[in-house]
Amino acid sequence: MNSYSHGTSGTSLLGDTIGASLDRAVAAWPDREALVDVPSGRRWTYGQFASDVDQLAYALLASGIAKGDRVGIWAVNCAEWVLVQYATARIGAIMVNINPAYRTHEVEYVLNQAGISLLVASFSHKGSDYRAMVEQVRGRCPQLRETVYIGEASWDALVARGTAGRAEELRTREAELSCDDPINIQYTSGTTGFPKGATLSHHNILNNGYFVGS
């Protein structure tokens, strides 16, 4: 049983999942710009963005990602980061944010503590070679089945798994979701000990974004 505590307000909290919220935005503004990636010059309308999110969601389903499974994202700001957050939310997976500044021992700890089965990563950040760091620890991370690197063949191969034949499976999965389901784990810096994870739900993230935007 979930409980809520709130002060007096004339604005009701949103009770949607992230996927339902995106669907509502697409229905209202399909041709309005939703996402702009300045470095690459890529732009998405809400309709285009939702289509790419769905394809990635299909790909994650094809990869065996179940509701509640942990998908790690270890990357700098990029459009793929946003796609992964929405696609994991659509299927009820939990996206685990990994700090781009983590050292090898911190990455190993988070991969194991969160139980990450699929990791999406950049190549590097400020002198840190992510691929080399992952290879160094993956033998000690038994739950990590696959690592995908943004901007190279492994990312393209993941996306290519996403076919419209998974549409019914996605609808079935989304029908099982509640706004109170966890979909995100955010870790602290780890500067005073091992990183500590805070779990957020559709409800947390959607309402935080809504009120900040307002």
Side-chain angles (χ1 to χ4, degrees), residues 58 164-173:
Y58 300 152
R166 297 275 176 177
E168 184 60 35
E169 185 179 357
L170 178 58
R171 285 192 290 270
T172 299
R173 178 72 63 83

Side-chain angles (χ1 to χ4, degrees), residues 53-67 69 87-93 145 161-177:
V53 166
D54 284 353
Q55 183 174 6
L56 184 54
Y58 300 152
L60 294 174
L61 291 172
S63 301
I65 301 298
K67 179 183 177 183
D69 281 357
T88 51
R90 270 228 189 271
I91 66 171
R145 301 196 308 263
R161 295 174 202 164
T163 65
R166 297 275 176 177
E168 184 60 35
E169 185 179 357
L170 178 58
R171 285 192 290 270
T172 299
R173 178 72 63 83
E174 287 197 283
E176 301 170 353
L177 306 182

